Amino acid sequence: MTLKATARAHPIQGLVKYHGMRDEELRLPYHDSISVCTAPSNTTTTVEFLPDAEEDTYIIDGEPVEGRGAERIEHVLDYVREFAGFDHAVRFESENSFPSNVGFGSSSSGFAALAMAASEAAGLGLDRPTISTIARRGSSSAARAVTGAYSDLSAGLNDEDCRSHRRDTGIGEDGFDPEKDLRIVTALVPAYKETEEAHREAEQSHMFDARLSHVHDQLAEMRDALQEGDFHRIFGTAEHDSLSLTAATMTGPSGWVYWKPETIAVFNAVRELRETGVPVYFSTDTGASVYVNTTTNYVDVVEEAVAETGVETEVWEVGGPAQVLEETESLF
């Protein structure tokens, strides 16, 4: 039996984002969260358990991983090893098809691919919601990247409750299909950000209690909008949630301000387009880069307007769940 597997996962765009962690070790969020996976952006990861090796090796995009990054990888792998009942060393290699640490969810796809590959290599035979609890130990958003497309991570104090599941979507009255017709124009603003610290400080913001008091309405609105296939409600809610999240982030002890002049320029371009009747909304996670959400019929005009602000753009669509790949796609 080979103890090796390769998996691929897509990163997430947060639609109703979590902020702050009730438990840092298990990465249990204070409230539910909803996201959509983005493709073709992806992370590919190969994991091999080596009974005769003495230590783990971690490589991402050709570079050794050390410090806090290595600790987070090890935390996930230690749980898999405990689950499998062995303590073999690991060789781990991962590659991203898109920029990392700029606000495009690389930790979500990274830990989703790790959890998927590691559980497969260990022969655990788990379903995706269960694998999402493994990925969550690296990043809460990674749980939703495991189940893919539009996914919902339930809050809870244990793995039975705090896991991700995929949400069904409906077709809107205008024919909009959230699974097929969404187009995401990405606006890359390459500024490094530190998400973990923002989560750690969240509850110290005087805006945090205000966010907790209204986020459940945001979640209810998002779930209903997805069921109805209502583009404007889905992505209007996501835009509003981005502003709410950032308000809490900026008013924490460190006063994190992730947005850059280019970020604001994209916001303004989106609002100008919307005033002319174009269906388009912006969204940000923790970072300066922007997701610009529109439909297949308007994506060309939207991308042109966003590019005119001077940022680098790509067009993404909805990505599926994490997948185990064939041996021929192994990274080593």
Side-chain angles (χ1 to χ4, degrees):
M1 174 183 174
T2 179
L3 297 173
K4 180 178 179 180
T6 301
R8 179 170 293 148
H10 299 291
I12 63 95
Q13 172 193 172
L15 300 179
V16 179
K17 295 164 274 290
Y18 82 96
H19 204 25
M21 287 178 286
R22 188 187 301 274
D23 183 310
E24 285 194 35
E25 181 178 358
L26 297 178
R27 303 189 82 87
L28 301 174
Y30 280 95
H31 57 80
D32 297 359
S33 52
I34 301 171
S35 62
V36 59
C37 276
T38 61
S41 53
N42 68 79
T43 301
T44 301
T45 297
T46 298
V47 170
E48 184 174 16
F49 292 101
L50 303 167
D52 298 325
E54 295 184 358
E55 61 182 23
D56 295 346
T57 58
Y58 308 144
I59 304 290
I60 296 179
D61 292 331
E63 299 293 331
V65 183
E66 300 175 345
R68 179 57 182 153
E71 290 175 2
R72 291 174 70 181
I73 294 168
E74 183 177 41
H75 186 48
V76 173
L77 288 169
D78 281 348
Y79 182 67
V80 173
R81 285 183 278 221
E82 179 183 358
F83 209 129
F86 57 61
D87 60 359
H88 305 334
V90 169
R91 180 180 176 185
F92 158 95
E93 291 194 17
S94 188
E95 292 182 354
N96 295 303
S97 72
F98 63 104
S100 59
N101 293 311
V102 295
F104 283 150
S106 59
S107 64
S108 63
S109 55
F111 284 108
L114 168 58
M116 198 79 184
S119 59
E120 178 72 14
L124 299 182
L126 305 175
D127 61 18
R128 285 190 180 85
T130 304
I131 294 171
S132 79
T133 69
I134 299 173
R136 194 198 67 232
R137 285 165 163 79
S139 166
S140 291
S141 59
R144 288 177 266 115
V146 170
T147 49
Y150 294 88
S151 282
D152 196 321
L153 174 62
S154 301
L157 300 179
N158 55 65
D159 287 341
E160 286 301 312
D161 294 334
C162 191
R163 56 178 54 206
S164 178
H165 61 278
R166 185 162 171 169
R167 296 203 68 85
D168 293 331
T169 58
I171 308 299
E173 292 182 357
D174 58 357
F176 175 73
D177 183 338
E179 302 269 352
K180 297 179 180 179
D181 297 332
L182 173 65
R183 292 296 179 269
I184 306 158
V185 177
T186 61
L188 173 62
V189 183
Y192 181 82
K193 51 81 186 177
E194 182 52 71
T195 305
E196 269 202 302
E197 286 300 320
H199 283 305
R200 191 169 290 123
E201 290 189 357
E203 60 189 281
Q204 299 177 62
S205 164
H206 67 279
M207 299 293 292
F208 187 63
D209 286 343
R211 177 166 174 80
L212 289 183
S213 72
H214 84 86
V215 73
H216 301 290
D217 289 338
Q218 297 266 89
L219 289 160
E221 180 74 13
M222 181 62 70
R223 288 169 181 140
D224 188 65
L226 288 169
Q227 182 174 316
E228 296 296 321
D230 189 326
F231 172 83
H232 293 283
R233 288 175 62 206
I234 295 167
F235 296 103
T237 301
E239 182 175 296
H240 184 269
D241 188 71
S242 298
L243 299 173
S244 168
L245 179 89
T246 303
T249 300
M250 290 193 299
T251 51
S254 297
W256 297 100
V257 179
Y258 291 113
W259 294 345
K260 301 297 181 184
E262 298 93 329
T263 309
I264 304 300
V266 173
F267 292 175
N268 290 338
V270 167
R271 285 171 166 156
E272 289 171 7
L273 283 170
R274 204 155 64 219
E275 288 176 358
T276 68
V278 175
V280 61
Y281 296 88
F282 64 78
S283 175
T284 61
D285 288 336
T286 305
S289 297
V290 188
Y291 301 98
V292 180
N293 297 297
T294 188
T295 66
T296 51
N297 292 337
Y298 290 90
V299 65
D300 291 341
V301 68
V302 169
E303 183 177 25
E304 182 179 357
V306 172
E308 285 178 355
T309 68
V311 299
E312 181 180 335
T313 63
E314 288 188 14
V315 176
W316 293 350
E317 56 190 49
V318 176
Q323 300 282 351
V324 174
L325 303 180
E326 299 293 333
E327 290 183 18
T328 54
E329 297 189 76
S330 171
L331 298 180
F332 59 83

